[in-house]
Amino acid sequence: MSSGEILNNIRRLRFNNGEMTQEQLAGKCSVTRQTIIAIEKGNYSPSLTLAFKIAKAFGVGVEDVFEFMD
Amino acid sequence: MSSGEILNNIRRLRFNNGEMTQEQLAGKCSVTRQTIIAIEKGNYSPSLTLAFKIAKAFGVGVEDVFEFMD
DNA sequence: ATATAATGTAAAATATATTTTACATTTAGT
DNA sequence: ACTAAATGTAAAATATATTTTACATTATAT
């Protein structure tokens, strides 16, 4: 899996959602803060399940959070 | 990751796309047929990267292929 | 009925995603 | 300047996704 193919707007969405912290987003998605950091930095591609949870936490669609560059 | 939370329309989309075989879809997504089978059956949640590749293979959005039930 | 194609099951090996734990650095508020 | 909060780095451990390999079953065409 090359996560370099996935870009994301997590940081911007966090800011626009009451300046949500990574910790808070992690809580909403039931994952660790480290996971959010890693995904936000594009260290690896998240599972689809987690991608959906992140999108839901922001009240948007998956493709509003993540973009596939191929 | 509980993949029970993700439903998909892969089989239907395969049928509607020239009756594409699992092998062909696997080829388009650069994964093994076994992976397609497992995902189609909901054995596990795919990586977001693969989800995007599958969606692209059908020329639709990720949320047209997968549905998050929570 | 036969042969081939497509789909399905299974398990070990391998690759990747996530967690745990710890510490460091930066940012924000006073 | 000080403190706490937020973010960041890192690596080992753990969990999950995918591959490899093999065989079985079902579907399709003749």
Side-chain angles (χ1 to χ4, degrees):
Chain A
M1 297 302 134
S2 168
S3 63
E5 298 176 4
I6 304 271
L7 299 181
N8 71 73
N9 304 308
I10 296 176
R11 199 174 186 97
R12 177 152 64 77
L13 286 164
R14 280 199 300 109
F15 183 80
N16 295 339
N17 276 269
E19 299 189 89
M20 196 189 293
T21 65
Q22 298 176 329
E23 188 78 62
Q24 290 174 322
L25 177 58
K28 285 174 177 291
C29 301
S30 300
V31 295
T32 64
R33 180 177 65 86
Q34 266 66 31
T35 298
I36 296 297
I37 293 173
I39 291 166
E40 196 166 291
K41 288 177 62 61
N43 288 354
Y44 52 72
S45 168
S47 69
L48 181 58
T49 300
L50 179 50
F52 267 121
K53 286 181 178 177
I54 291 172
K56 186 182 178 187
F58 293 129
V60 298
V62 169
E63 289 175 69
D64 292 312
V65 185
F66 302 96
E67 184 180 3
F68 183 52
M69 311 301 292
D70 62 299
Chain B
M1 298 301 127
S2 166
S3 62
E5 299 175 3
I6 304 271
L7 299 181
N8 70 75
N9 303 307
I10 296 176
R11 199 173 185 100
R12 179 153 61 80
L13 286 164
R14 281 199 299 112
F15 183 79
N16 294 339
N17 276 269
E19 299 191 274
M20 195 189 293
T21 66
Q22 296 177 329
E23 188 78 63
Q24 290 173 324
L25 178 57
K28 283 174 177 292
C29 301
S30 301
V31 295
T32 63
R33 182 179 63 88
Q34 265 67 31
T35 298
I36 296 298
I37 293 173
I39 291 167
E40 194 166 293
K41 288 178 64 61
N43 291 353
Y44 52 72
S45 169
S47 69
L48 181 58
T49 300
L50 180 50
F52 266 121
K53 287 180 176 177
I54 290 172
K56 186 183 177 187
F58 293 129
V60 299
V62 168
E63 287 174 71
D64 292 312
V65 184
F66 302 95
E67 184 177 3
F68 183 52
M69 312 300 295
D70 63 299

